Amino acid sequence: MTTLTLDSATGRPTVFETDESAVRSYSRAFPAVFTHAKGDLLVGEDGTRYIDFLSGAGTLNYGHNPDPIKDELIDYLRADGLVHGLDLSTSAKADFLEALRTHVLEPRGLGYKVQFTSPSGTNAVEAALKVARLATGRTNVIAFGGGFHGVSTGSLAATSSGYYRDGLEATLPQVTHIPYPDSPLGEFDSLDLLRRLLEDPSSGVDKPAAVLLETVQGEGGVWVAPVPFLQELRELCDRHDILLIVDDIQAGCGRTGAFFSFERAGIVPDLVTLSKSISGYGLPMAIVLIKPEYDIWRPGQHNGTFRGHQLAFVAATAALRHYWADDAFLRQIRTKADLVTDFLERRITQPFGASARGIGLMRALDLTGVPGVTAAAVSRRCFEKGLIIETCGRRDEVLKILPPLTVSQVNLSAGLNTLVDALVELNAERVSEVAA
Ligand code: PLP
């Protein structure tokens, strides 16, 4: 449903309605004009405070304007550090590379090279797909139903949603989609299918350069790939000399209760894409982590003017040093994740017949089993009550609970209670409509 935003002073349609492209989306679901944000709260121009269970679609894992990062940014700006740097060597970039190695890669035994791409997630996926194709000399890629990898042409080919592909199918490079091991249609033996496609020379599917997946599908409805599936997929890829690419753009940077979403399976992908929360402050930044043997780029072969957003490097370094130098932050995430799991089980899934799933602080409330109450209606009602929570899933049947990882326990509980209140109200309205 389109909601017309009216200027509160004049009562006329806002400049967003009159001047901004029809392609805008979040502003339709959350029709306020926002002026300030701090931590887990957003503030509208009329002073309304909203608890944030959206986190910039996974970009604000450390909340809005976190002080430890803000202070570093202010100091860097005051000192006239470079802001734009193409892919020049800079002190800000060196600090980031060292912090990533020290706090993330080395402790996990990972020896990746780091490629800086244009600063959107989709460009990191483009780069990963390109280098996998160049390294193997193959074109096809295996991706999964329910997967979301971006909307530029190369990544859109791997994104499964008909909504984004509609009308563009013929322009998209070769990708074969297979069902994910879990989805609204139930569990599926994806590995058996993949084995048949790879091991039957007459399967009709060209040997792929890579398998690309999210280990927890975000936009597709928060479906979690089982650990044995991930481990066997790694083995299958090794056996067939196929690269394994994990798109950790949404599920990475601590969201699932570990820095990388694949850590729980003990696997090492050949390529990893990161964006969204990697900069720590919502500043645009995207990288591809590449096993050295696949770093076969020629200089500048994948380039972009904004690969060197120095403020993003400064923020990213501060985030890594502040949150990832020890395990304290991870322990906090896991404690809050347990609180959410327990709350959903006690207060929502049992009383309302909804189902919950997810991992860490990436949780889904699936309303498929709740008659007459849509996720969009719940999201709207929550917004009226001061909670920002988005919908996802194949038919927008899922509410995605994605608070900042730094969310206070008070606001986490308040947000979850708002969700219950919205459900109670909508359910009561439905019952009274049926009775009338
Ligand atoms: N990959 C995943 C898993 C995502 O969730 C997204 C965005 O939601 C993207 C890629 C695309 O990132 P961007 O919107 O920055 O292009």
Side-chain angles (χ1 to χ4, degrees):
M1 191 188 86
T2 304
T3 312
L4 198 68
T5 50
L6 300 178
D7 188 303
S8 51
T10 64
R12 284 205 289 271
T14 64
V15 67
F16 313 106
E17 300 289 349
T18 57
D19 290 24
E20 192 181 349
S21 162
V23 80
R24 66 195 187 282
S25 57
Y26 286 105
S27 58
R28 298 178 191 272
F30 309 114
V33 177
F34 298 98
T35 54
H36 294 84
K38 189 74 185 169
D40 48 27
L41 292 172
L42 284 148
V43 185
E45 64 179 355
D46 63 356
T48 306
R49 287 151 58 97
Y50 299 89
I51 295 175
D52 189 357
F53 274 15
L54 171 64
S55 298
T59 309
L60 298 162
N61 280 6
Y62 313 108
H64 296 265
N65 302 320
D67 288 330
I69 305 181
K70 186 168 76 177
D71 293 344
E72 297 282 339
L73 286 170
I74 291 169
D75 288 349
Y76 185 82
L77 280 168
R78 278 202 201 292
D80 278 337
L82 267 78
V83 170
H84 177 260
L86 292 169
D87 72 345
L88 293 169
S89 299
T90 63
S91 54
K93 193 199 281 187
D95 287 348
F96 168 71
L97 287 168
E98 276 167 26
L100 186 71
R101 181 163 18 84
T102 307
H103 299 305
V104 176
L105 300 182
E106 269 180 4
R108 291 164 181 79
L110 300 171
Y112 291 122
K113 295 279 201 156
V114 183
Q115 177 182 1
F116 297 94
T117 67
S118 284
S120 57
T122 196
N123 198 255
V125 175
E126 295 284 345
L129 292 175
K130 272 164 89 172
V131 82
R133 285 172 166 139
L134 290 168
T136 58
R138 297 178 218 128
T139 309
N140 195 19
V141 165
I142 301 285
F144 290 85
F148 183 86
H149 301 286
V151 293
S152 53
T153 300
S155 66
L156 178 59
T159 291
S160 65
S161 161
Y163 180 79
Y164 300 110
R165 300 169 64 89
D166 195 21
L168 298 168
E169 301 89 340
T171 68
L172 304 176
Q174 191 186 4
V175 172
T176 303
H177 285 93
I178 64 171
Y180 201 64
D182 205 359
S183 81
L185 293 174
E187 291 178 10
F188 184 80
D189 192 346
S190 317
L191 281 169
D192 186 52
L193 174 59
L194 189 54
R195 231 177 262 123
R196 286 164 192 266
L197 297 180
L198 298 177
E199 290 172 9
D200 179 352
S202 289
S203 71
V205 170
D206 299 328
K207 182 169 180 178
V211 173
L212 166 67
L213 83 162
E214 300 160 88
T215 74
V216 184
Q217 291 188 333
E219 300 309 294
V222 190
W223 297 96
V224 183
V227 163
F229 162 80
L230 293 171
Q231 292 169 339
E232 287 171 41
L233 179 63
R234 176 67 279 185
E235 281 169 25
L236 192 63
C237 286
D238 285 342
R239 226 174 22 254
H240 290 275
D241 192 23
I242 294 165
L243 272 59
L244 180 64
I245 309 175
V246 168
D247 180 347
D248 239 5
I249 285 169
Q250 187 163 150
C253 302
R255 179 53 64 185
T256 65
F259 187 88
F260 294 110
S261 72
F262 51 82
E263 286 179 53
R264 68 195 160 94
I267 59 164
V268 178
D270 299 301
L271 301 162
V272 181
T273 54
L274 285 176
S275 181
K276 291 195 188 277
S277 277
I278 186 64
S279 86
Y281 205 78
L283 292 170
M285 178 171 172
I287 58 176
V288 186
L289 302 177
I290 311 175
K291 276 192 182 165
E293 59 269 38
Y294 300 119
D295 184 27
I296 48 113
W297 290 115
R298 283 181 278 120
Q301 191 180 5
H302 187 85
N303 57 36
T305 304
F306 291 105
R307 281 171 294 162
H309 189 338
Q310 310 294 308
L311 289 180
F313 297 160
V314 170
T317 305
L320 294 175
R321 287 181 182 156
H322 188 78
Y323 295 100
W324 295 100
D326 58 32
D327 281 349
F329 184 52
L330 273 181
R331 283 199 299 275
Q332 289 164 19
I333 300 170
R334 291 175 188 158
T335 304
K336 290 175 200 170
D338 289 346
L339 192 148
V340 176
T341 310
D342 177 60
F343 186 98
L344 293 179
E345 183 64 24
R346 270 187 310 107
R347 301 280 311 277
I348 301 191
T349 55
Q350 284 176 9
F352 291 95
S355 58
R357 55 177 177 268
I359 182 166
L361 282 174
M362 186 168 185
R363 317 298 298 202
L365 187 64
D366 191 325
L367 299 188
T368 308
V370 185
V373 178
T374 66
V378 176
S379 170
R380 268 198 304 279
R381 186 60 59 91
C382 285
F383 182 69
E384 288 160 16
K385 292 174 167 298
L387 172 69
I388 296 182
I389 183 166
E390 76 166 321
T391 61
C392 64
R394 311 304 210 265
R395 296 181 174 81
D396 274 349
E397 70 281 19
V398 176
L399 288 151
K400 185 159 51 156
I401 302 168
L402 211 69
L405 305 180
T406 53
V407 64
S408 69
Q409 300 230 355
V410 170
N411 282 342
L412 185 58
S413 298
L416 291 169
N417 278 313
T418 303
L419 197 51
V420 175
D421 293 346
L423 273 164
V424 169
E425 283 179 18
L426 288 165
N427 209 33
E429 287 167 22
R430 183 189 66 87
V431 170
S432 64
E433 270 165 31
V434 171

